[in-house]
Amino acid sequence: MTTPLNNPASARRGAPWYREPYVWLVLAGPLAVVVASMFTIYLAVTRADPVLDRTPPPAVTLDAELLEKLSPEQRAALELSVTPAHKARNHAASPTVPKD
């Protein structure tokens, strides 16, 4: 004897897959990533990066007449202010800069 509970012909047919809310919940994450990647590709193609100017800045020279007019403390401070970064960066905490 068959009852409605164990009869496969009388079983309720489920809704189509696109009408199930959990399917869209599962697909929402990957779809958002695909849309974001398409937008990123669009931005990369339409907006070019600027070309950087790699010419070195002009060297700083100190006028000899100006240096003669300064006191020794002012002269040391001026020379320290125009010290190249590769010499001064490792001596930021020390009071003196080595002479090379």
Side-chain angles (χ1 to χ4, degrees), residues 76-100:
L78 181 63
E79 288 175 350
L80 186 61
S81 70
V82 295
T83 303
H86 68 278
K87 284 186 181 179
R89 71 172 167 235
N90 295 330
H91 300 281
S94 63
T96 60
V97 177
K99 301 287 184 194
D100 287 330

Side-chain angles (χ1 to χ4, degrees), residues 32-59:
V33 170
V34 169
V35 170
S37 66
M38 297 278 190
F39 182 68
T40 304
I41 291 171
Y42 165 76
L43 289 177
V45 170
T46 59
R47 291 176 171 74
D49 291 338
V51 178
L52 297 177
D53 182 21
R54 299 233 180 222
T55 57

Side-chain angles (χ1 to χ4, degrees), residues 5-82:
L5 295 176
N6 63 8
N7 186 359
S10 68
R12 182 179 80 81
R13 294 190 49 107
W17 69 270
Y18 53 86
R19 294 206 185 241
E20 293 291 332
Y22 290 114
V23 171
W24 294 109
L25 185 65
V26 169
L27 292 178
L31 287 175
V33 170
V34 169
V35 170
S37 66
M38 297 278 190
F39 182 68
T40 304
I41 291 171
Y42 165 76
L43 289 177
V45 170
T46 59
R47 291 176 171 74
D49 291 338
V51 178
L52 297 177
D53 182 21
R54 299 233 180 222
T55 57
V60 176
T61 58
L62 299 176
D63 188 19
E65 292 178 11
L66 174 68
L67 290 176
E68 290 176 5
K69 294 177 184 177
L70 297 175
S71 68
E73 295 85 18
Q74 291 173 331
R75 182 177 182 162
L78 181 63
E79 288 175 350
L80 186 61
S81 70
V82 295

